[in-house]
Amino acid sequence: MAINVRDLGRSPGTMRTLHEHVPAPKDFGVALIGVPEGSGLEIDLRLEAVHEGILVSGVVIAPVKGECGRCLKPLAYDQEVDVQELFYYEDAESFEEEDEEEQHRIERDVIDLEPVLRDAVVLTMPFQPVCREDCEGLCSECGARLEEDPGHHHEAVDPRWAALAGLTGTAAEDTAAPSTESDEREES
């Protein structure tokens, strides 16, 4: 996504707009959600010459796909993201060393929009996306969707007492919490 900005020169106030559909690069997302490689990013930007460099501002619309972090239901929507970044001229004075790594430069009258767009789009994506805020997710025992079976539950039998249930011939849930001799002594 390299853009030639030679026509803007170094005349503050010179401006041009950029309206394009470009294919999304690889790894444009996080673990559960992202922009599929090759899908179209809609870019509507304004490139404006200022004293320090070229100010790029505008909007990017990205088709986002992924899955819910709770129930694994597929998600798909368009994410609109505001972009604003200053690309410094090659000979512009740099700031402190730690800030210099974060600065974007104009190299040979070309700016590379990919890192700026990646930062803008990926940072707006949720780390744990959900299909709905009240999504109940999946059962931790069997993986059933809790939304489809609201009364879903499993009988919890203490594994320490499960072997004794067979001796008396009673169901395992009857022996889930029997009192022990030590409990009887504490009560008296």
Side-chain angles (χ1 to χ4, degrees):
M1 291 187 231
I3 307 294
N4 191 323
V5 292
R6 181 181 302 257
D7 61 324
L8 295 176
R10 291 187 178 228
S11 305
T14 308
M15 181 194 80
R16 89 170 136 120
T17 58
L18 178 68
H19 305 282
E20 286 191 25
H21 291 278
V22 296
K26 185 178 179 183
D27 299 328
F28 215 71
V30 292
L32 292 176
I33 196 163
V35 179
E37 182 179 1
S39 62
L41 295 174
E42 187 177 328
I43 299 174
D44 186 13
L45 300 175
R46 184 171 77 185
L47 291 83
E48 191 173 355
V50 294
H51 291 289
E52 300 87 7
I54 305 289
L55 178 65
V56 177
S57 57
V59 174
V60 175
I61 300 174
V64 176
K65 291 188 178 183
E67 57 187 25
C68 176
R70 294 182 189 158
C71 70
L72 304 178
K73 187 182 287 186
L75 300 174
Y77 59 91
D78 287 342
Q79 178 79 31
E80 184 173 317
V81 180
D82 292 327
V83 175
Q84 185 168 13
E85 190 67 43
L86 179 61
F87 288 82
Y88 291 91
Y89 294 122
E90 287 178 291
D91 58 355
E93 290 182 28
S94 62
F95 299 105
E96 297 176 15
E97 286 184 26
E98 58 189 55
D99 290 338
E100 190 171 338
E101 292 177 8
E102 296 175 11
Q103 293 178 6
H104 298 281
R105 296 276 184 187
I106 302 168
E107 297 178 12
R108 297 185 196 106
D109 294 326
V110 174
I111 58 175
D112 185 11
L113 290 176
E114 183 177 335
V116 172
L117 298 181
R118 182 182 307 276
D119 289 348
V121 172
V122 173
L123 290 176
T124 61
M125 292 181 185
F127 185 69
Q128 288 289 349
V130 291
C131 57
R132 298 185 335 266
E133 286 300 320
D134 61 343
C135 177
E136 295 181 35
L138 302 175
C139 173
S140 61
E141 298 282 323
C142 65
R145 276 206 171 98
L146 297 177
E147 176 183 328
E148 295 168 359
D149 187 8
H152 181 83
H153 70 283
H154 297 273
E155 293 298 324
V157 177
D158 189 341
R160 298 172 291 181
W161 298 105
L164 295 177
L167 293 176
T168 62
T170 60
E173 61 265 1
D174 293 340
T175 62
S179 63
T180 62
E181 188 177 319
S182 62
D183 291 338
E184 292 172 8
R185 273 189 256 148
E186 287 179 13
E187 291 174 7
S188 53

